[in-house]
Amino acid sequence: MTVSATDRNAPDHGAPGSLAPAAGRPRTATTVRLVAGLLLDRLARPRALRRLRTDAAAVVALYAAAFTAYGEHAWMLCAALAGRALAVSLPDNAYHYATPLDAPLQAMNLRLPRPLEAFALGFNLHGVHHRHPGLPWSALRARFAREGGRYDLGWVPAVSRQLRGPVRADR
């Protein structure tokens, strides 16, 4: 079974991958991290939220299959899921949290100190990236300035506000 982690709202985020380990291949921590990442990407994207009702059974089946496949090593899958949620998915979703689901070009530009912006390859200018996905990361700052350079929030407040929980899809 193959599940795409790619999303219409962010065409260059993620890549398709197989959720089942190949026959005879050892189940390594890398494979566990891959499965965890694909499952979380599947759930974390706004498009997945729109389809949550129809995909719920499929997601439950994917988790059940993954935990069954990893047997006594399922604890590594749990650790990978939790680690990925904190290290990747939580910051990645901050740019989309509470933005309209039907506006694929909508994403936030988050304030980050310049040295950290360079370290993050300009990813804090995510709204600019959504409007101009073909721009290299090094050109995002200049485009941001040309467009008026307005930040929506600071990076830390944007990431931490997600801990309040889900927002209603109809707001």
Side-chain angles (χ1 to χ4, degrees):
M1 170 186 289
T2 300
V3 174
S4 174
T6 305
D7 179 351
R8 260 194 319 250
N9 290 347
D12 62 339
H13 298 179
S18 173
L19 290 178
R25 193 170 88 205
R27 295 180 183 128
T28 64
T30 302
T31 304
V32 172
R33 283 192 301 271
L34 173 66
V35 169
L38 289 170
L39 288 171
L40 278 170
D41 282 346
R42 176 86 172 133
L43 292 174
R45 301 289 183 215
R47 192 175 96 207
L49 293 176
R50 284 194 298 263
R51 294 189 330 231
L52 188 58
R53 236 179 273 150
T54 57
D55 284 356
V59 169
V60 169
L62 288 173
Y63 272 106
F67 283 103
T68 301
Y70 290 94
E72 68 184 58
H73 301 289
W75 68 269
M76 290 192 314
L77 181 58
C78 289
L81 286 169
R84 177 148 167 76
L86 292 175
V88 176
S89 295
L90 192 63
D92 183 50
N93 191 54
Y95 303 97
H96 303 281
Y97 183 78
T99 60
L101 293 176
D102 58 351
L105 297 180
Q106 180 86 24
M108 292 187 283
N109 294 313
L110 303 179
R111 190 176 308 102
L112 200 59
R114 284 284 180 104
L116 291 177
E117 181 178 303
F119 179 73
L121 303 178
F123 201 67
N124 62 308
L125 303 176
H126 205 66
V128 177
H129 160 71
H130 270 250
R131 289 187 299 281
H132 311 283
L135 280 178
W137 73 267
S138 56
L140 291 174
R141 162 73 35 208
R143 181 58 68 114
F144 175 72
R146 273 198 306 272
E147 291 180 352
R150 190 182 76 72
Y151 292 107
D152 297 291
L153 281 171
W155 189 86
V156 171
V159 170
S160 60
R161 75 186 184 138
Q162 296 173 88
L163 300 176
R164 294 183 205 151
V167 283
R168 293 179 51 95
D170 60 352
R171 44 174 267 189

